[in-house]
C-alpha cells in the first residue's frame, strides 16, 4: 500500500475552501489588526496626551499600561479553553473588537479630551485580541484539517497570518497620515466584523467541519490492507477465567 501524497490529501480534503476560510482568512484578518495596531500605538498616545506632553518616560508608562491590560487576555484564554469552544472564544473576541473600534471611531474627538478613557478603551481591544483570535487562530488549523495534510495546511495558514502582519504594519500608519485616524479605526471595526462573519459561517463549535479530524479522507484502502492479507483467516482467541477461589 502506497501512502497518498500531501497534494492528493489536500485535494481530497472535505470542505477545503470552507475550512481554509475559517482558519487562514481569519488568521490573515486578525494579524492585520493586531500588528497594525501594535505599530499604531504611538500615534494614539500622541493624540491622547499631545506630542509635547508625551515624553519617552510617559510613552513607556502608557505602553506598559496597555500591555498590562492586554496580558490578562492570555490567562483568560488558557483558563477558558476546554470550558468554551474555540469558535465561541473567537466570536466574542471579534465581536468585542467591532464594538470597541466603532466606539473609538465614533467618539474619538470626545475621548481625546479624556486621556485615560481613550487609553482604556484602546487597551481593551488588545485584551479581547488575546482572549479571542490571538489564541484561537493558532489552534484552529490543527483541529480542523485531516491528519494527512494538517501540518502543510497549518503552515499555509500561518503564512497567511504573516502576510496580514506585513500588510498591517505597512498600511496603518500611512492610512492614518493620509485619511485620518478615525478612518483607521472604522477599518479595524470592518475587518473585525468580517472576521466575526467568517467565524460564524466557516468555523464549527469543536473546530472540525467533519466531526473526525483524524480521519484520512484519501485513504480508502479495504480493511485487509490494515495487516490482514487476502485469504488469511482470523483465529479467535478464547480466554477462560476460573471462578474457583484461590
Amino acid at each position: 500500500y502506497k501512502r497518498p501524497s500531501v497534494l492528493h490529501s489536500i485535494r481530497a480534503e472535505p470542505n477545503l475552501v470552507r475550512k481554509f476560510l475559517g482558519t487562514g482568512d481569519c488568521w490573515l484578518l486578525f494579524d492585520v489588526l493586531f500588528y497594525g495596531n501594535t505599530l499604531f500605538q504611538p500615534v494614539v498616545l500622541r493624540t491622547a496626551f499631545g506630542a509635547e506632553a508625551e515624553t519617552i518616560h510617559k510613552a513607556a508608562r502608557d505602553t506598559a499600561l496597555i500591555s498590562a491590560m492586554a496580558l490578562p487576555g492570555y490567562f483568560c484564554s488558557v483558563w477558558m479553553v476546554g470550558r468554551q469552544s474555540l469558535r465561541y472564544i473567537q466570536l466574542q473576541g471579534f465581536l468585542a473588537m467591532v464594538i470597541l473600534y466603532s466606539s473609538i471611531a465614533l467618539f474619538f474627538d470626545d475621548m481625546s479630551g479624556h486621556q485615560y478613557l481613550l487609553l482604556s478603551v484602546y487597551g481593551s481591544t488588545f485584551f479581547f485580541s488575546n482572549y479571542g483570535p490571538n489564541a484561537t487562530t493558532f489552534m484552529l488549523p490543527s483541529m480542523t484539517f485531516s491528519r494527512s495534510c494538517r501540518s502543510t495546511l497549518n503552515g499555509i495558514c500561518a503564512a497567511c497570518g504573516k502576510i496580514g502582519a506585513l500588510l498591517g504594519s505597512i498600511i496603518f500608519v500611512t492610512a492614518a497620515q493620509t485619511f485620518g485616524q478615525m478612518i483607521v479605526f472604522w477599518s479595524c471595526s470592518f475587518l473585525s466584523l468580517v472576521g466575526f462573519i467568517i467565524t460564524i459561517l466557516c468555523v464549527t463549535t469543536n473546530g472540525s467541519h467533519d466531526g473526525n479530524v483524524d480521519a484520512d479522507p484519501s485513504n480508502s484502502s479495504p480493511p485487509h490492507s490494515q495487516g490482514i492479507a487476502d485469504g488469511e483467516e482470523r483465529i479467535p482467541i478464547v480466554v477462560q477465567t476460573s471462578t474457583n477461589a484461590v
Side-chain angles (χ1 to χ4, degrees), residues 107-185:
F107 306 107
F108 187 78
D109 293 334
D110 295 331
M111 287 186 181
S112 298
H114 300 80
Q115 301 166 343
Y116 287 100
L117 175 61
L118 175 61
L119 207 61
S120 299
V121 177
Y122 185 66
S124 297
T125 65
F126 289 94
F127 173 87
F128 284 103
S129 294
N130 295 335
Y131 179 35
N134 201 22
T136 57
T137 50
F138 288 93
M139 293 185 283
L140 277 173
S142 62
M143 300 181 65
T144 298
F145 299 110
S146 301
R147 182 170 50 190
S148 57
C149 57
R150 180 182 301 160
S151 58
T152 301
L153 291 175
N154 198 341
I156 294 173
C157 291
C160 290
K162 301 311 175 188
I163 293 172
L166 178 63
L167 291 174
S169 61
I170 292 174
I171 293 173
F172 267 51
V173 177
T174 304
Q177 294 171 350
T178 305
F179 303 106
Q181 298 176 21
M182 284 189 291
I183 297 298
V184 173
F185 287 118

Side-chain angles (χ1 to χ4, degrees), residues 1-209:
Y1 169 67
K2 183 179 179 181
R3 186 173 182 84
S5 65
V6 174
L7 182 59
H8 177 77
S9 299
I10 293 175
R11 289 175 176 174
E13 181 74 6
N15 298 320
L16 176 62
V17 174
R18 185 184 178 195
K19 290 179 178 180
F20 189 77
L21 285 173
T23 54
D25 276 20
C26 284
W27 203 336
L28 186 150
L29 289 170
F30 171 71
D31 276 11
V32 170
L33 293 168
F34 186 79
Y35 288 94
N37 270 290
T38 299
L39 296 177
F40 194 58
Q41 281 186 31
V43 178
V44 177
L45 292 176
R46 283 196 300 269
T47 302
F49 296 97
E52 297 179 357
E54 190 67 7
T55 63
I56 295 177
H57 178 268
K58 290 182 178 179
R61 180 199 62 193
D62 298 331
T63 302
L65 178 60
I66 293 176
S67 299
M69 295 179 64
L71 185 61
Y74 286 115
F75 297 108
C76 289
S77 293
V78 171
W79 178 257
M80 297 309 298
V81 167
R83 295 173 172 83
Q84 294 177 340
S85 67
L86 297 182
R87 179 177 185 266
Y88 180 82
I89 293 175
Q90 184 160 298
L91 280 173
Q92 58 90 28
F94 274 129
L95 181 60
M97 287 191 288
V98 170
I99 296 171
L100 291 169
Y101 284 129
S102 298
S103 300
I104 296 174
L106 282 171
F107 306 107
F108 187 78
D109 293 334
D110 295 331
M111 287 186 181
S112 298
H114 300 80
Q115 301 166 343
Y116 287 100
L117 175 61
L118 175 61
L119 207 61
S120 299
V121 177
Y122 185 66
S124 297
T125 65
F126 289 94
F127 173 87
F128 284 103
S129 294
N130 295 335
Y131 179 35
N134 201 22
T136 57
T137 50
F138 288 93
M139 293 185 283
L140 277 173
S142 62
M143 300 181 65
T144 298
F145 299 110
S146 301
R147 182 170 50 190
S148 57
C149 57
R150 180 182 301 160
S151 58
T152 301
L153 291 175
N154 198 341
I156 294 173
C157 291
C160 290
K162 301 311 175 188
I163 293 172
L166 178 63
L167 291 174
S169 61
I170 292 174
I171 293 173
F172 267 51
V173 177
T174 304
Q177 294 171 350
T178 305
F179 303 106
Q181 298 176 21
M182 284 189 291
I183 297 298
V184 173
F185 287 118
W186 278 124
S187 301
C188 290
S189 178
F190 175 75
L191 292 175
S192 300
L193 180 61
V194 173
F196 178 79
I197 293 172
I198 292 177
T199 302
I200 289 178
L201 298 177
C202 300
V203 179
T204 58
T205 301
N206 62 354
S208 170
H209 294 290

